[in-house]
Amino acid sequence: MATETTGTASACVGPDGSAIGMPQLCADWMPNQIFWLLIALIAIYFVLSRIALPRIATVLAERQGTITNDLAAAEDLKQKALEAEDAYNKALADARTEAQKIIAQNKAEMQAELDKAIAKADAEIAAKAAESEKAISDIRATAVESVEAVAKDTAGAIVAALGGQADDSTVAAAVDAQMKG
């Protein structure tokens, strides 16, 4: 019986039942190895195509959707930021324009008040100058009258001191003639 077992044993198995060399490279076992390789590859293909790849595709689709949504949201936010910046710049320009209007209005009001104050001061100065001129002319008139009265009294006193007799009309005529020049 020993010859039967050795006769049926392949060239890849030794007399003690152990493999000779590397069993994967034994030509007698190649068809069997190719068969099981095909079975394993088919099983891996079905597992990958039915379970793993659809899950991976779903994850990739979700990731792409998230990226697309995030890009769209970023673009919307960018557009809103640009609109907000434009609105801010417009509001700033409007505020500057309004400030310039207020400054111009306040300058005009201050200038009008200043002009009124200057006109009032000029009027007061003119009134005081007129009063002063009137007072000066009154003082001159009274001074002339006083000088004339003093001159008449002094001329009468001098004439009397010199021993002469002068009546008031003669003294007045002489003083008037002298003052007219």
Side-chain angles (χ1 to χ4, degrees):
M1 279 232 253
T3 58
E4 267 183 46
T5 42
T6 55
T8 59
S10 71
C12 298
V13 178
D16 57 355
S18 65
I20 300 173
M22 289 183 68
Q24 296 90 345
L25 299 178
C26 181
D28 291 343
W29 292 351
M30 282 288 176
N32 190 23
Q33 288 179 5
I34 290 173
F35 171 77
W36 286 110
L37 175 67
L38 290 176
I39 296 293
L41 287 177
I42 291 171
I44 289 172
Y45 171 76
F46 280 116
V47 168
L48 286 177
S49 68
R50 304 282 186 233
I51 297 170
L53 290 178
R55 288 185 184 170
I56 291 172
T58 303
V59 169
L60 289 176
E62 287 176 6
R63 183 178 293 168
Q64 185 62 36
T66 302
I67 290 171
T68 304
N69 291 340
D70 288 347
L71 288 174
E75 188 64 32
D76 288 343
L77 290 175
K78 180 181 176 184
Q79 188 63 32
K80 287 180 182 177
L82 289 174
E83 290 171 1
E85 182 182 12
D86 289 342
Y88 170 76
N89 288 335
K90 184 181 182 306
L92 188 60
D94 291 344
R96 285 186 180 145
T97 303
E98 186 65 27
Q100 291 297 329
K101 286 180 185 177
I102 290 170
I103 288 171
Q105 182 182 5
N106 286 342
K107 280 184 179 179
E109 288 174 4
M110 289 171 45
Q111 187 64 40
E113 289 177 10
L114 182 62
D115 290 342
K116 284 180 186 178
I118 288 173
K120 183 179 177 183
D122 286 344
E124 289 176 3
I125 289 171
K128 287 187 180 183
E131 286 177 17
S132 298
E133 286 179 15
K134 184 180 177 191
I136 290 172
S137 67
D138 288 345
I139 291 171
R140 281 186 184 159
T142 56
V144 168
E145 291 173 6
S146 296
V147 167
E148 193 174 325
V150 169
K152 288 177 184 177
D153 289 343
T154 307
I158 291 174
V159 169
L162 291 176
Q165 186 90 10
D167 63 67
D168 289 334
S169 60
T170 308
V171 172
V175 169
D176 285 338
Q178 199 60 32
M179 292 208 41
K180 286 184 183 177

